[in-house]
């Protein structure tokens, strides 16, 4: 298990977020009083509102009434399971219905469990804990497929999916800009030729760890792009913010002070290319192509530096 994955898994064991969906506010308040000390609680009073909260906030679990006007709980659950972005959120129905056909309908809609009204607080808390634990374990096992085995950061497969997801989320939430940085370890082939591939692998691990340490926001993403290249995705970040991060990354790798006598700097350095787009106009392939072009300019400019594509079609150091 990588340090990165362990940190993410343990972080999920903190306060989880529960969405409570019921058209009767008094029922929401009752459940809130039971959960508030242990969980972050979100609320929705209709099926449509619940769908929007799920897409905007991605709760860890949903407690939902079955009987609601217009769009009932069964229809809402089916809509959640049909949306690939939120389909993995477990749904527990809270219902006063007791007929066998009602139970069957809950299972068929995609629920993981149901609790009878009136709600028993102890039963509710134990059911929630059990299903959150199952979800955390499933999420952890699923995420292992997206981790680069050598460096412990995310791999290219996860990166590609993440950029598309970030663009979709940013558009829905009307965020401003998305920035990406592509980083390349300078003269890495010469490093491997000089010290061997084992030393090269260790250098990659150290660089990846340094990059991860500089990207502190939960939404920031560091991934291995390929070979000795990495990509950093910075949601809701403009050109100035991307430049600040890029300078920190340059300094962090330099501070590793990994000897590299085959370069003019005498140590391992990186070159960085960046691109920024508004969410309204952002396209993954365009963003990465522009960042890659700027990386090429950084290498042509002597390496160990940052070049950036900005909205005015100018290049900045």
């Amino acid at each position: 298990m990588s340090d990165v994955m362990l940190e993410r898994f343990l972080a999920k064991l903190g306060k989880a977020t529960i969405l409570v969906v019921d058209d009767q506010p008094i029922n929401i308040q009752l459940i809130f009083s039971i959960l508030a000390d242990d969980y972050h609680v979100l609320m929705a009073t209709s099926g449509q509102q619940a769908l929007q909260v799920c897409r905007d906030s991605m709760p860890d679990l949903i407690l939902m009434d079955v009987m609601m006007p217009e769009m009932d709980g069964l229809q809402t659950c089916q809509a959640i399971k049909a949306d690939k972005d939120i389909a993995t959120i477990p749904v527990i129905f809270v219902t006063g219905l007791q007929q066998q056909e009602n139970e069957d309908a809950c299972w068929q809609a995609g629920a993981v469990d149901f609790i009878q009204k009136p709600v028993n607080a102890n039963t509710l808390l134990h059911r929630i804990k059990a299903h959150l634990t199952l979800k955390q374990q499933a999420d952890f096992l699923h995420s292992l497929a997206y981790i680069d085995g050598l460096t412990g950061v995310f791999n290219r497969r996860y990166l590609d999916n993440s950029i598309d997801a970030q663009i979709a989320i940013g558009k829905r939430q009307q965020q401003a800009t998305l920035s990406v940085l592509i980083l390349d370890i300078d003269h890495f082939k010469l490093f491997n030729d000089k010290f061997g591939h084992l030393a090269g692998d260790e250098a990659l691990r150290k660089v990846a760890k340094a990059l991860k340490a500089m990207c502190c926001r939960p939404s920031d993403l560091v991934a291995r792009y390929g070979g000795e290249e990495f990509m950093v995705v910075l949601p809701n970040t403009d050109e100035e913010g991307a430049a600040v991060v890029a300078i920190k990354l340059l300094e962090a790798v330099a501070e590793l002070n990994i000897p590299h006598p085959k370069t003019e700097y005498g140590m391992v350095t990186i070159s960085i290319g960046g691109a920024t787009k508004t969410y309204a106009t952002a396209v993954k392939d365009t963003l990465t192509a522009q960042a890659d072009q700027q990386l090429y300019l950084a290498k042509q400019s002597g390496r160990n530096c940052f070049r950036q594509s900005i909205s005015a079609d100018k290049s900045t150091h």
Side-chain angles (χ1 to χ4, degrees):
M1 180 189 302
S2 72
D3 291 342
V4 174
M5 283 309 306
L6 181 59
E7 289 170 7
R8 285 181 173 269
F9 183 59
L10 292 178
K12 283 184 171 289
L13 300 181
K15 269 196 173 185
T17 298
I18 310 295
L19 171 61
V20 182
V21 187
D22 197 305
D23 62 314
Q24 299 296 320
I26 190 171
N27 292 334
I28 293 179
Q29 290 299 326
L30 173 63
I31 294 179
F32 178 84
S33 68
I34 298 172
L35 303 183
D37 290 340
D38 299 305
Y39 301 103
H40 298 295
V41 182
L42 304 177
M43 306 175 191
T45 56
S46 70
Q48 289 293 349
Q49 187 180 17
L51 289 172
Q52 191 60 51
V53 173
C54 287
R55 290 163 182 153
D56 290 342
S57 303
M58 281 297 292
D60 296 290
L61 184 142
I62 301 168
L63 296 175
M64 184 151 51
D65 187 24
V66 174
M67 302 299 293
M68 294 188 295
E70 297 181 10
M71 188 177 192
D72 66 26
L74 298 174
Q75 293 169 321
T76 304
C77 185
Q78 289 168 344
I80 289 170
K81 298 307 170 183
D83 186 329
K84 64 181 180 61
D85 292 331
I86 57 177
T88 59
I89 305 173
V91 176
I92 298 177
F93 280 119
V94 182
T95 177
L97 302 174
Q98 298 183 6
Q99 300 299 319
Q100 183 62 51
E101 58 264 29
N102 301 134
E103 294 183 11
D104 292 342
C106 290
W107 299 127
Q108 290 166 5
V112 297
D113 208 343
F114 61 90
I115 298 173
Q116 294 288 344
K117 291 181 179 179
V119 173
N120 178 287
N122 195 37
T123 297
L124 178 64
L125 290 170
H126 278 83
R127 293 280 182 85
I128 288 174
K129 182 177 180 181
H131 285 291
L132 284 175
T133 300
L134 289 172
K135 184 177 186 299
Q136 288 157 1
Q137 292 170 346
D139 287 348
F140 175 68
L141 292 173
H142 180 70
S143 65
L144 290 178
Y146 295 110
I147 296 298
D148 178 63
L150 176 62
T151 63
V153 299
F154 287 109
N155 60 21
R156 178 68 177 270
R157 179 184 177 191
Y158 184 87
L159 173 67
D160 289 340
N161 293 337
S162 178
I163 295 177
D164 286 333
Q166 286 293 349
I167 291 173
I169 292 170
K171 287 179 179 178
R172 282 201 302 265
Q173 298 181 351
Q174 297 183 329
Q175 295 178 2
T177 50
L178 171 68
S179 294
V180 299
L181 306 173
I182 298 181
L183 308 84
D184 185 75
I185 299 178
D186 297 325
H187 299 299
F188 191 66
K189 183 179 183 305
L190 294 178
F191 184 91
N192 277 333
D193 290 344
K194 173 69 176 178
F195 296 108
H197 288 281
L198 290 179
D201 289 348
E202 181 62 20
L204 284 169
R205 282 190 286 266
K206 288 181 177 179
V207 169
K209 186 176 182 180
L211 300 180
K212 183 66 179 176
M214 290 297 104
C215 298
C216 302
R217 299 181 307 172
S219 59
D220 294 342
L221 168 67
V222 177
R224 190 175 180 192
Y225 193 50
E228 65 271 22
E229 286 190 329
F230 296 87
M231 181 179 284
V232 176
V233 181
L234 302 170
N236 206 22
T237 303
D238 60 14
E239 293 96 336
E240 290 77 13
V244 169
V245 174
I247 296 304
K248 288 182 179 180
L249 297 177
L250 288 169
E251 293 172 348
V253 173
E255 287 172 3
L256 294 174
N257 200 27
I258 302 173
H260 191 349
K262 294 294 185 177
T263 75
E264 60 270 40
Y265 300 102
M267 60 182 178
V268 168
T269 59
I270 57 174
S271 298
I272 307 176
T276 299
K277 286 284 187 183
T278 65
Y279 279 96
T281 62
V283 177
K284 178 180 66 178
D285 291 345
T286 302
L287 262 173
T288 54
Q290 289 184 350
D292 195 54
Q293 182 182 33
Q294 295 301 313
L295 173 61
Y296 175 80
L297 293 177
K299 293 178 180 180
Q300 293 298 306
S301 300
R303 304 177 190 265
N304 192 27
C305 63
F306 168 57
R307 294 292 180 269
Q308 181 180 36
S309 172
I310 62 175
S311 56
D313 294 326
K314 297 177 181 178
S315 181
T316 185
H317 292 221

